[in-house]
Amino acid sequence: MITYNQQNGAVSLHSPTSMPNACGFLWNENMMIQMNCRGYAVAQFMQPEPAKYAHGPALEAKTFMQPEHAYFSHHPGRFFYIKDNQTGEIFSVPYAPVKQAHSKFEFIVDKHKISWKVEHLNLTCHLSLSLTAEDTAELWQLSVTNHADSIRDLSIYSYFPVGYMSWMNQSARFDDTLTSILCESVTPYQKVEQYPVQKDFKDTTVFISDRNPTSYETRQVIFEGEGGLNNPDAIKNEHLASKPAHYQTPAAIMQFTQSLSPEESSQFNFIFAPVKDAKEAKQLKQKYLSSEQKLNKAKQKYQQYIATSDNKLEISSPNNALDNFINHWLPRQVFYHGDVNRLSTDPQTRNYLQDAMGMMYISPDKTKSAFIKALSQQHKNGEMPDGVLLNADSEFKYINQIPHTDHCVWLVICIEAYLNETGDYDFLNQDIPFSDNQYSVSVLEHINLALDYLWSQRDSRGLNYINQGDWCDPMNMVGYKGIGVSSWLSLASAYSMKLWADVSVAVGESAQADKWRQQANTLNQDVNQHCWDGEWFARGITDAGNCFGVSANTEGRIYLNPQSFSMLSGAITEQQWPLMQAQIKQQLQTPFGMMMLAPSYTHMHEEVGRLTQKFPGTGENGSVYNHAGAFYIFALFERGETDTAFELLNTMINPSSDSDTLARGQLPVFIPNYYRGAYFQYPEDAGKSSQLFNTGTVAWIYRIVIEQLIGLKGIKDGLKIQPQLPSAWDKLEVTRLFRQSTIKLNVKREEHISEQQVLVDGIPLHINQQGEFILAIKPKQNYCIEVALPLAPSVN
């Protein structure tokens, strides 16, 4: 069903029906497209806010990408019909809309392109999609090869539905000078001040061919007729009507008649793109379709852009599928997040900072720039805004208009990680202004102010206020009256303070370090006093004074995040740990990973908020929410619970069987934001992937793999070497780029040793006073590290 190309990471699916929503995605700095195996697509571009250039057949509300996106017969897609003119037989590529079973089918997701190989009626069709490195344009190529022993008379039809573009003005026409179909519209506006912005919008969607079509059609409803999209009326005729669309739903449909001798092939190239006008369409055609050389050069340039994340880390372990994902797909997804900020102009602060944290392994300069931009929008009292505005015209939208309380935490956690990875402690001395005061202070002082702000936002019990949400942004009614508190945020604040205490020591601020540790200990004590429920920590206390996420609740009895951060902050004691661990495993662990809470809410709980209105097992309401799962995995590794941590890491990434793969319905080319949860309530739906690749999970998983699993963690003085191999692994080979040097790591389990041993270039590396193996790293060097580990304990 699924095959892997270990050399380049490509993943292939060999059936369009077993996993109908299986997909891949491509992006550049201006656009994104998510393409599924059957030919349906979700695409958007920036102008400067996210916009679409192919729409559904009816008026759509403008909104962000949604999980578990439903596809329907008239959903936007990219399709070709193939007709044998002699027999009248038709099929479509990739699969929809005809949905004719092919003799052979392969959907191939590569890092820089998405392609299909379809065999049917003695024809082989190769279809591929790539993007350009800098323009908003899809590059499509179709080749058709005749394997019959006679000449074939074929008609090949493009069918790129553009959909309902505008209630105000929409049309389509063929431009024979450009061999293009131009689908034109006007974005409606109400306020006069909107017009100067919208007049330069790319309101035209163009489909450009590198050859003249035999005929064309631009009216979707005429093309479809009574036969429906699986057998359109128009292709029953010898030629299409070649008519424009006058205020009708447009589509880009071209017919190409083609005679093919035995084993002869024919190739077609197309561009599908939003443009301002025909002049811009002409420029695109000249740039990409005027010669085969230009087209190939553009594809190579895009491949080079995507390869930015390649070769930073390569592992070879006993788990080949895991290797494939870590070597090829995980850094790619991390790069997507850190490079284009999820194609938003006002990313949530927590997302922006964590995405930037992941980018430090690929392009640390971009990480630093992101931190500077975020810090420049901090308020002088230390508070961080709910979103980061990326340009002067940006404004807060959607969830960023709702006050949340957790953003200062991520500032600390992510910058501390950056300091470790890069050793760039000079960054702490850089002066940056505030958003509400041009007076500049150092990065160190910005962080101190952020921690002071967290400390100030506590109630009489010493717990942090939650307002209308913390990391869990739909938890919007716990503290909207200004009374409710978050145990998770209190623990996360304590964890941040402990991290920053170590940084303070490193820069000679011992008094500040003592302050942060004292405050962290106080927070841990207060959470234990007010939120320990006997076997786990409550999620918080509502405005009405009620603890929730406790054993007395029938729904939402236990939440994962407070347990994870109690481990990181040090709030959990050795006596509490076995009790809590048992309850986490019993109530939250599933074959697909850790549920965020359980049992899922089945109706509105007004003391908690709109989280409880989400369908049980979706989103934050008890799904296997991978971001929360990553925190727990990170905490387990930190605690030395290696086998449990690795089991959950592998589960998140790696389906355990074909049935597991089918339940998820997703190719292992990205980590989704969630898999369906409510495992004990709705087991038949559990495991289903959201198919949404926007998630803060990936930065944490990449960090976990690098710093904990393979154990090559940056610190101020160099590289800390401490691999944490699962018991089932007896060896591991790694190549890692670190501070401009190449690290080659070879880990083996050996008999007759009781503790880790390290050789660097054949010379023993001695343990320091803290019991750690620290290697000082010089730039532009090669280091060969050999680590010997004791044999794993035998399991009876």
Side-chain angles (χ1 to χ4, degrees):
M1 182 171 59
I2 293 176
T3 56
Y4 300 88
N5 186 323
Q6 292 290 346
Q7 188 173 12
N8 63 18
V11 177
S12 294
L13 175 69
H14 298 273
S15 166
T17 56
S18 61
M19 295 165 57
N21 291 337
C23 63
F25 73 96
L26 301 173
W27 82 93
N28 64 27
E29 292 183 359
N30 303 307
M31 66 174 295
M32 175 280 303
I33 181 167
Q34 183 176 25
M35 199 77 223
N36 86 359
C37 63
R38 296 157 78 98
Y40 296 112
V42 177
Q44 62 188 42
F45 72 106
M46 306 298 287
Q47 69 165 9
E49 297 296 335
K52 289 189 171 14
Y53 52 100
H55 313 259
L59 188 65
E60 295 179 294
K62 290 184 177 180
T63 184
F64 46 85
M65 290 179 65
Q66 299 291 352
E68 299 192 45
H69 202 293
Y71 298 97
F72 48 95
S73 60
H74 287 78
H75 190 284
R78 319 289 190 257
F79 311 103
F80 291 89
Y81 292 87
I82 313 293
K83 181 176 77 170
D84 187 314
N85 291 328
Q86 295 170 324
T87 66
E89 294 175 284
I90 66 168
F91 66 97
S92 57
V93 178
Y95 177 71
V98 176
K99 300 179 182 178
Q100 169 68 50
H102 302 132
S103 302
K104 287 186 179 179
F105 175 91
E106 185 177 8
F107 173 54
I108 308 145
V109 181
D110 211 329
K111 288 182 286 187
H112 64 283
K113 68 178 180 179
I114 294 171
S115 57
W116 295 261
K117 181 181 179 182
V118 171
E119 296 182 13
H120 196 59
L121 301 181
N122 279 327
L123 298 170
T124 295
C125 300
H126 288 271
L127 177 64
S128 69
L129 163 66
S130 181
L131 301 184
T132 74
E134 60 277 318
D135 288 314
T136 302
E138 302 173 19
L139 304 179
W140 287 89
Q141 186 173 87
L142 172 67
S143 69
V144 181
T145 303
N146 173 28
H147 296 299
D149 55 8
S150 60
I151 296 174
R152 304 291 293 276
D153 179 18
L154 304 173
S155 282
I156 298 160
Y157 304 83
S158 68
Y159 175 59
F160 281 48
V162 177
Y164 188 29
M165 301 178 76
S166 169
W167 57 261
M168 190 168 168
N169 188 324
Q170 63 175 10
S171 61
R173 61 186 174 88
F174 179 74
D175 187 320
D176 57 358
T177 65
L178 293 176
T179 59
S180 302
I181 291 175
L182 296 157
C183 303
E184 299 166 320
S185 68
V186 175
T187 298
Y189 73 94
Q190 303 296 334
K191 299 177 182 179
V192 172
E193 55 267 28
Q194 292 175 304
Y195 174 72
V197 177
Q198 294 181 192
K199 68 176 182 170
D200 293 322
F201 274 8
K202 296 176 184 281
D203 276 343
T204 296
T205 300
V206 67
F207 181 76
I208 308 173
S209 171
D210 67 344
R211 63 168 76 180
N212 281 307
T214 307
S215 64
Y216 67 88
E217 180 59 85
T218 64
R219 303 161 297 173
Q220 181 175 314
V221 67
I222 298 299
F223 174 75
E224 182 176 353
E226 295 299 317
L229 289 178
N230 66 328
N231 189 24
D233 282 0
I235 65 175
K236 298 173 185 176
N237 302 320
E238 184 177 356
H239 295 117
L240 300 176
S242 298
K243 296 288 187 180
H246 295 150
Y247 198 62
Q248 294 156 299
T249 302
I253 307 162
M254 294 184 183
Q255 177 190 11
F256 303 89
T257 55
Q258 182 71 53
S259 176
L260 290 179
S261 299
E263 301 306 320
E264 184 182 3
S265 298
S266 187
Q267 183 172 290
F268 307 80
N269 294 296
F270 307 96
I271 296 172
F272 190 55
V275 293
K276 187 178 185 299
D277 49 29
K279 180 180 178 181
E280 189 174 328
K282 183 178 180 180
Q283 292 169 346
L284 282 179
K285 183 172 184 180
Q286 176 63 28
K287 190 172 182 179
Y288 298 113
L289 293 187
S290 58
S291 72
E292 185 176 354
Q293 182 182 11
K294 287 185 177 181
L295 180 60
N296 290 337
K297 185 176 180 180
K299 292 180 179 179
Q300 289 169 6
K301 189 174 181 180
Y302 180 68
Q303 184 174 359
Q304 290 165 359
Y305 165 71
I306 293 298
T308 301
S309 63
D310 287 350
N311 304 318
K312 311 297 183 185
L313 175 73
E314 184 175 347
I315 76 169
S316 176
S317 78
N319 189 325
N320 290 335
L322 185 71
D323 294 351
N324 192 73
F325 186 81
I326 289 173
N327 293 338
H328 298 287
W329 296 103
L330 181 57
R332 179 186 187 271
Q333 194 177 0
V334 168
F335 176 53
Y336 159 76
H337 283 80
D339 188 49
V340 298
N341 304 299
R342 312 187 189 195
L343 289 174
S344 168
T345 60
D346 67 324
Q348 287 177 279
T349 302
R350 71 176 69 89
N351 293 342
Y352 184 69
L353 292 169
Q354 290 176 88
D355 292 349
M357 179 184 74
M359 196 67 167
M360 69 190 182
Y361 301 109
I362 296 168
S363 178
D365 287 344
K366 279 205 166 187
T367 298
K368 186 175 181 177
S369 295
F371 290 158
I372 291 170
K373 183 173 285 290
L375 286 165
S376 70
Q377 296 181 31
Q378 184 183 27
H379 303 308
K380 62 183 178 181
N381 67 350
E383 182 183 14
M384 289 296 293
D386 285 285
V388 177
L389 301 176
L390 299 186
N391 59 61
D393 298 323
S394 302
E395 58 184 22
F396 290 138
K397 300 176 293 298
Y398 305 119
I399 197 66
N400 286 342
Q401 297 175 325
I402 310 302
H404 295 92
T405 52
D406 63 309
H407 301 299
C408 288
V409 159
W410 304 113
L411 191 66
V412 180
I413 292 172
C414 297
I415 289 182
E416 189 269 348
Y418 167 81
L419 295 174
N420 281 334
E421 173 63 15
T422 64
D424 181 18
Y425 272 70
D426 288 341
F427 177 49
L428 295 176
N429 300 319
Q430 182 169 341
D431 288 340
I432 298 173
F434 298 97
S435 64
D436 53 354
N437 191 322
Q438 285 304 304
Y439 175 68
S440 295
V441 300
S442 68
V443 170
L444 181 65
E445 185 59 24
H446 274 276
I447 304 298
N448 290 342
L449 288 168
L451 289 175
D452 284 338
Y453 180 78
L454 285 169
W455 181 253
S456 72
Q457 300 300 299
R458 298 178 304 126
D459 72 347
S460 59
R461 289 165 293 213
L463 304 176
N464 281 105
Y465 293 114
I466 191 171
N467 207 323
Q468 293 187 48
D470 50 27
W471 173 86
C472 184
D473 48 43
M475 195 176 282
N476 66 329
M477 296 177 74
V478 172
Y480 73 99
K481 296 178 181 178
I483 304 170
V485 292
S486 164
S487 66
W488 169 81
L489 181 56
S490 303
L491 293 164
S493 296
Y495 175 52
S496 301
M497 290 171 182
K498 286 198 166 186
L499 291 177
W500 208 247
D502 291 340
V503 174
S504 299
V505 169
V507 297
E509 298 281 349
S510 57
Q512 279 282 25
D514 291 342
K515 171 186 170 182
W516 302 136
R517 290 194 180 106
Q518 182 180 356
Q519 291 182 353
N521 291 337
T522 299
L523 283 164
N524 283 336
Q525 291 167 11
D526 291 338
V527 171
N528 262 295
Q529 180 180 349
H530 298 287
C531 297
W532 177 251
D533 189 50
E535 294 183 272
W536 65 86
F537 287 98
R539 182 59 174 84
I541 303 172
T542 68
D543 281 331
N546 297 316
C547 258
F548 69 105
V550 294
S551 56
N553 299 140
T554 56
E555 296 181 342
R557 293 178 74 237
I558 181 171
Y559 284 72
L560 181 59
N561 268 1
Q563 323 318 321
S564 304
F565 277 78
S566 73
M567 297 158 65
L568 293 171
S569 74
I572 191 77
T573 67
E574 291 305 314
Q575 292 72 36
Q576 293 168 320
W577 166 243
L579 300 172
M580 187 178 82
Q581 185 184 35
Q583 291 300 325
I584 292 171
K585 185 171 184 178
Q586 178 182 333
Q587 298 191 63
L588 295 174
Q589 190 165 346
T590 81
F592 309 102
M594 303 301 300
M595 291 186 291
M596 184 170 155
L597 64 88
S600 295
Y601 295 98
T602 59
H603 60 277
M604 177 64 165
H605 289 243
E606 293 182 355
E607 283 191 59
V608 177
R610 69 185 184 93
L611 174 155
T612 66
Q613 292 182 304
K614 297 192 175 189
F615 190 82
T618 67
E620 295 88 346
N621 187 14
S623 75
V624 176
Y625 205 80
N626 286 320
H627 199 173
F631 296 149
Y632 184 54
I633 294 167
F634 184 82
L636 285 168
F637 269 117
E638 288 289 284
R639 196 178 168 83
E641 300 280 346
T642 302
D643 281 347
T644 304
F646 178 78
E647 177 191 355
L648 294 173
L649 172 68
N650 192 46
T651 296
M652 181 185 293
I653 292 172
N654 226 0
S656 59
S657 62
D658 285 348
S659 61
D660 186 352
T661 301
L662 291 172
R664 301 184 197 213
Q666 181 201 306
L667 294 178
V669 295
F670 60 87
I671 298 175
N673 73 324
Y674 74 75
Y675 301 107
R676 282 276 194 103
Y679 179 73
F680 302 107
Q681 295 160 282
Y682 298 99
E684 65 277 10
D685 294 312
K688 182 180 181 182
S689 170
S690 70
Q691 305 286 351
L692 187 58
F693 49 82
N694 288 341
T695 172
T697 308
V698 291
W700 283 93
I701 295 300
Y702 207 35
R703 183 179 178 186
I704 287 165
V705 168
I706 291 170
E707 296 184 0
Q708 296 176 323
L709 178 63
I710 69 175
L712 295 177
K713 179 182 179 180
I715 61 170
K716 186 173 185 287
D717 299 323
L719 192 65
K720 179 180 175 181
I721 304 166
Q722 189 181 2
Q724 293 191 63
L725 269 58
S727 298
W729 287 9
D730 59 358
K731 62 181 180 179
L732 174 67
E733 293 181 6
V734 177
T735 301
R736 195 204 156 184
L737 294 184
F738 177 73
R739 299 184 190 175
Q740 302 179 54
S741 288
T742 300
I743 313 296
K744 290 190 178 293
L745 172 69
N746 192 320
V747 185
K748 289 184 179 179
R749 294 193 184 275
E750 296 184 4
E751 294 184 273
H752 312 305
I753 63 170
S754 58
E755 57 186 21
Q756 176 178 303
Q757 297 177 1
V758 178
L759 295 176
V760 178
D761 297 328
I763 300 172
L765 180 67
H766 298 293
I767 201 166
N768 66 11
Q769 292 181 347
Q770 288 74 42
E772 299 170 331
F773 289 96
I774 308 297
L775 175 63
I777 299 291
K778 295 179 180 179
K780 300 180 181 179
Q781 302 292 315
N782 295 318
Y783 294 92
C784 180
I785 302 174
E786 297 176 77
V787 175
L789 295 178
L791 296 178
S794 58
V795 179
N796 295 326

